[in-house]
């Protein structure tokens, strides 16, 4: 029993290590210069009112472009009603989707900085946009929004949100570390964007953030990844089926791009949820109960860095782990065996 307890502590150490030095967006004086917010949107009528309303409340002047990527709902009409400029990219067969919409928007922006936002993102307060510019230090800056959960099934996303964050590595020309980037919030200067090729250079990537980061790294420009808690948030999926399909779309690709030693630590930490539960079931004694509660509290503290996940979810993290294994298996099959995934009515070949 003592050995099992030590193993649980070891898995907690692994979790703490992979979360080490994951910085947040900070407040402060912003850099002088104009900024264009570019929002690629395909059937986002349900999300745009929240994002565009939060943008209208910002204390920093900005241009807002909504790129209507073949929507069949009221995306364009709602965007115009809320004051955004709506652009429709030309139809093309060689390149389509989010990265194409983003690049089209960048071509029509007239500003010093470009901020790409997913439609399900919300700026939390009036200085959020200013704070993002405060943290920008050249190259590519990406932010993972804080995940707001509303329904119980959304809590099953906890492991995906955690792994999305801990699997990223910032890049500098000095360290030469392997870069990666979050996709929902991307900030760069117009000069650096077009110097690197921007989303055009990432057009062959399923996860455009990875492609962008690689482009900037090749040009010896820094790639910085931050956490958005307190500044910017999102509610990712409003239906269970959409949540499962959304995570399965790209997660195996993201895991394959993670450094092996980081992935090993992540797997070790994840196994701790099953180990602590097994210890409790097989030997329900005070020591086992203590270790189970200790792991759960440790998991709860770390999970709250990336999203609004409850203590109940932490106590049953093993159930979320089982859901993770199910979705990851689906993602692996579609990504590496069939080499094709379906998303928003489009078949994406890998």
């Amino acid at each position: 029993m003592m050995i099992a307890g030590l193993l649980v502590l070891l898995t907690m150490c692994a979790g703490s290590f992979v979360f080490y030095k994951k910085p947040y967006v900070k407040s402060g004086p912003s850099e002088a210069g104009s900024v264009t917010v570019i929002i690629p949107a395909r059937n986002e009528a349900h999300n745009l009112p929240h994002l565009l309303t939060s943008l209208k409340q910002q204390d920093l002047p900005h241009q807002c472009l909504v790129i209507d990527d073949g929507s069949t709902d009221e995306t364009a009409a709602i965007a115009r009603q809320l004051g955004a400029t709506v652009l429709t990219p030309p139809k093309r067969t060689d390149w389509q989707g989010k990265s194409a919409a983003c690049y089209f928007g960048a071509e029509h922006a007239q500003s010093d900085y470009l901020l790409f936002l997913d439609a399900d993102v919300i700026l939390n307060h009036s200085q959020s946009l200013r704070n993002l510019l405060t943290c920008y230090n050249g190259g590519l800056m990406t932010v993972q929004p804080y995940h707001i959960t509303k329904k119980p099934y959304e809590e099953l996303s906890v492991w995906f949100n955690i792994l999305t964050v801990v699997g990223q590595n910032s890049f500098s020309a000095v360290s030469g570390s392997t870069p990666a980037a979050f996709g929902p919030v991307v900030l760069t200067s117009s000069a650096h964007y077009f110097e690197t090729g921007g989303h055009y250079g990432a057009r062959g990537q399923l996860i455009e953030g990875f492609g962008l980061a690689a482009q900037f790294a090749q040009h010896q420009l820094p790639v910085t990844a931050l956490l958005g808690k307190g500044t910017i948030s999102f509610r990712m999926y409003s239906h269970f089926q959409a949540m499962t399909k959304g995570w399965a779309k790209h997660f195996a690709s993201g895991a394959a791009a993670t450094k092996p030693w980081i992935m090993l630590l992540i797997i070790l930490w994840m196994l701790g949820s099953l180990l602590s539960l097994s210890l409790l079931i097989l030997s329900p004694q005070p020591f086992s109960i203590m270790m189970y509660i200790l792991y759960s509290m440790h998991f709860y503290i770390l999970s709250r860095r990336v999203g609004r996940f409850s203590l109940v979810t932490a106590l049953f993290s093993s159930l979320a782990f089982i859901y993770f294994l199910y979705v990851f298996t689906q993602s692996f099959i579609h990504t590496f065996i069939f080499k094709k995934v379906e998303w928003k009515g489009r078949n994406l070949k890998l």
Side-chain angles (χ1 to χ4, degrees), residues 213-347:
Q215 290 294 115
F216 277 72
Q218 288 173 10
H219 285 77
Q220 296 298 299
L221 293 171
V223 177
T224 306
L226 303 176
L227 301 183
K229 184 178 182 180
T231 299
I232 194 162
S233 59
F234 60 6
R235 184 189 178 199
M236 297 189 68
Y237 304 111
S238 57
H239 301 285
F240 179 79
Q241 184 178 8
M243 182 179 76
T244 300
K245 184 179 292 187
W247 286 122
K249 171 174 66 75
H250 64 268
F251 213 83
S253 297
T258 302
K259 281 187 174 181
W261 67 271
I262 294 180
M263 183 55 63
L264 180 62
L265 291 174
I266 292 171
I267 293 173
L268 181 62
W269 183 33
M270 297 177 79
L271 290 176
S273 65
L274 297 180
L275 180 60
S276 61
L277 179 62
S278 299
L279 185 63
L280 177 65
I281 294 175
L282 296 177
S283 181
Q285 299 179 20
F287 177 78
S288 303
I289 297 173
M290 181 186 69
M291 294 308 300
Y292 182 77
I293 294 176
L294 187 62
Y295 181 92
S296 298
M297 291 306 300
H298 175 264
F299 183 87
Y300 175 71
I301 292 170
L302 294 186
S303 69
R304 294 288 289 192
R305 295 190 65 184
V306 300
R308 193 171 66 188
F309 297 105
S310 67
L311 182 58
V312 174
T313 298
L315 289 169
F316 294 96
S317 61
S318 54
L319 294 180
F321 181 44
I322 293 172
Y323 173 73
F324 169 84
L325 291 177
Y326 166 72
V327 176
F328 185 84
T329 300
Q330 281 193 333
S331 182
F332 181 87
I333 292 172
H334 287 291
T335 301
F336 296 107
I337 297 179
F338 295 117
K339 297 186 182 297
K340 184 175 68 174
V341 296
E342 187 273 332
W343 183 242
K344 291 192 174 182
R346 286 176 175 155
N347 288 316

